[in-house]
Amino acid sequence: MRKIFKTFILLLILFFISLFIVLSTIGIETDKFNKLITNKIQKTNNKVDLKLESIKFKIDFKELSLFLETIYPQINYRKSHLPAKNIKVYIDFFPLLKNEIKIKKINLVLEQLNINQFKKIIVALKPSNFTSFINSNINDGKINTELQIYFNNKNQLSNFIAKGSVSNLDLTIQKGINFKKTNFNFFGDKTDILIKEFNSETKTIKILDGDIKLNLSEEISLISNFKTKIKYQSESSELLKLIREFKFSENIKSFEAETNNTFEIKLDKTYQIKNFNYKSKGRLSKANFEIKKNSLNFFLKDQINKLSLE
């Protein structure tokens, strides 16, 4: 009898080990929960139209949680197609026994989007300064993104996290000033947006190793740190458009500089600037100025035509 009992216990342990291995790797395929999941998500947001094909029931040991996974689901938001690569729906186990779905979290990995695809998707959003800026000022680029959507006990949206990367972004700040080869990683939720490893360049300026923190609480604040390499020639009017408000800017013929910069701005509830601060320090080399008559010579006997500084 003991032998039978030990054999039974051993077989039971082997069964559960095998089950856990299967659930953590290939999963168990099922279509039993398709309608439950789509109905639950549509109740949460009726602007989402979700169609699922084959679903696999799996386990995530890192989070000690069960989830349902499917690849290439058909997702439409406000009739705009979202090209999804993978979706995972994390659920509570015990409500599942009663044929109910209690969603804890949804992980959505989108396929790489080019900027034209992204513009088509944001058409579904309400018109805003953000959508207007994207459509008017961004010319090219690719986006990789992953969304994590969290739900409370009532299956209502409680928070979200968006993370990913942007590569080869072509951005127009104003006419004649284009930032190309723009790359960065991003992370955002309901209150903060973080941008890391920001790199970009124009004909004259290179921005290196930048970071941006945007806080979206009642009063919006933005803090940024970045390095720049500047190589300016007066034949190029690109930088002159940015510095033309400075006195003697037209006297600058050429210069090279490397700087470390800190930029901070705070806005109130009405988006009016409450506080603004910009600091820069670095090395200026090969700076050449052309001195116009009476511009710097009011205290000198002889006329100076050119001035070089380091």
Side-chain angles (χ1 to χ4, degrees), residues 197-306:
E197 299 177 26
F198 184 94
N199 296 281
S200 187
E201 63 182 62
T202 69
K203 292 177 182 178
T204 306
I205 306 168
K206 281 188 178 182
I207 298 176
L208 306 168
D209 197 24
D211 63 73
I212 300 170
K213 182 178 180 180
L214 180 63
N215 183 273
L216 302 173
S217 55
E218 290 186 3
E219 293 186 346
I220 296 172
S221 67
L222 184 150
I223 300 173
S224 178
N225 298 283
F226 57 96
K227 298 176 183 177
T228 57
K229 287 186 178 181
I230 304 171
K231 194 171 184 178
Y232 171 74
Q233 297 288 336
S234 59
E235 292 80 10
S236 171
S237 61
E238 181 186 57
L239 185 60
L240 190 58
K241 289 182 178 181
L242 297 176
I243 64 172
R244 61 188 171 190
E245 299 299 326
F246 292 98
K247 195 174 182 180
F248 307 123
S249 60
E250 293 182 356
N251 299 90
I252 302 172
K253 300 304 292 181
S254 65
F255 73 89
E256 294 182 20
E258 294 185 10
T259 63
N260 293 312
N261 311 275
T262 300
F263 172 81
E264 183 175 0
I265 187 169
K266 291 183 180 180
L267 308 176
D268 62 19
K269 295 178 182 179
T270 61
Y271 302 108
Q272 297 295 314
I273 294 176
K274 188 177 177 181
N275 190 24
F276 172 82
N277 193 18
Y278 176 76
K279 294 179 181 178
S280 181
K281 62 179 181 178
R283 175 179 171 79
L284 177 69
S285 62
K286 299 180 183 178
N288 295 296
F289 299 86
E290 185 180 76
I291 310 302
K292 294 182 179 180
K293 190 176 180 180
N294 297 326
S295 61
L296 290 177
N297 294 296
F298 53 86
F299 59 90
L300 298 175
K301 289 182 180 180
D302 298 321
Q303 172 70 29
I304 295 177
N305 297 315
K306 292 182 181 179

Side-chain angles (χ1 to χ4, degrees), residues 58 67-73 75 83-89 106-111 146-147:
K58 302 176 80 173
F67 67 91
L68 301 168
E69 180 183 36
T70 185
I71 58 173
Y72 302 110
I75 304 175
K85 186 187 293 185
N86 173 283
I87 186 169
K88 295 178 181 178
V89 180
I106 293 176
N107 274 23
L108 175 63
V109 180
L110 298 180
E111 292 190 70
E146 178 181 340
L147 296 173

Side-chain angles (χ1 to χ4, degrees), residues 89-252:
V89 180
Y90 287 78
I91 56 175
D92 279 339
F93 175 72
F94 292 108
L96 202 63
L97 298 176
K98 299 177 184 179
N99 211 27
E100 295 177 0
I101 289 282
K102 187 176 179 182
I103 300 173
K104 296 192 292 184
K105 181 177 74 170
I106 293 176
N107 274 23
L108 175 63
V109 180
L110 298 180
E111 292 190 70
Q112 187 180 73
L113 301 172
N114 62 45
I115 200 61
N116 290 326
Q117 289 174 302
F118 184 66
K119 286 180 179 180
K120 287 179 182 178
I121 291 170
I122 64 169
V123 166
L125 302 175
K126 292 180 180 180
S128 66
N129 291 336
F130 173 73
T131 55
S132 177
F133 179 83
I134 295 292
N135 286 314
S136 303
N137 298 77
I138 296 184
N139 313 307
D140 198 6
K142 294 180 180 178
I143 303 168
N144 292 289
T145 187
E146 178 181 340
L147 296 173
Q148 295 178 2
I149 304 167
Y150 295 87
F151 296 86
N152 59 24
N153 293 330
K154 296 180 180 180
N155 272 336
Q156 295 172 333
L157 179 66
S158 63
N159 198 3
F160 73 90
I161 291 173
K163 57 184 178 180
S165 62
V166 172
S167 58
N168 291 320
L169 194 70
D170 186 332
L171 173 66
T172 300
I173 299 297
Q174 55 177 279
K175 189 176 180 181
I177 301 178
N178 277 68
F179 281 89
K180 297 180 179 291
K181 298 181 182 178
T182 304
N183 303 292
F184 59 87
N185 299 321
F186 64 86
F187 177 95
D189 58 18
K190 284 169 47 173
T191 58
D192 294 286
I193 297 173
L194 301 175
I195 291 176
K196 293 285 188 181
E197 299 177 26
F198 184 94
N199 296 281
S200 187
E201 63 182 62
T202 69
K203 292 177 182 178
T204 306
I205 306 168
K206 281 188 178 182
I207 298 176
L208 306 168
D209 197 24
D211 63 73
I212 300 170
K213 182 178 180 180
L214 180 63
N215 183 273
L216 302 173
S217 55
E218 290 186 3
E219 293 186 346
I220 296 172
S221 67
L222 184 150
I223 300 173
S224 178
N225 298 283
F226 57 96
K227 298 176 183 177
T228 57
K229 287 186 178 181
I230 304 171
K231 194 171 184 178
Y232 171 74
Q233 297 288 336
S234 59
E235 292 80 10
S236 171
S237 61
E238 181 186 57
L239 185 60
L240 190 58
K241 289 182 178 181
L242 297 176
I243 64 172
R244 61 188 171 190
E245 299 299 326
F246 292 98
K247 195 174 182 180
F248 307 123
S249 60
E250 293 182 356
N251 299 90
I252 302 172

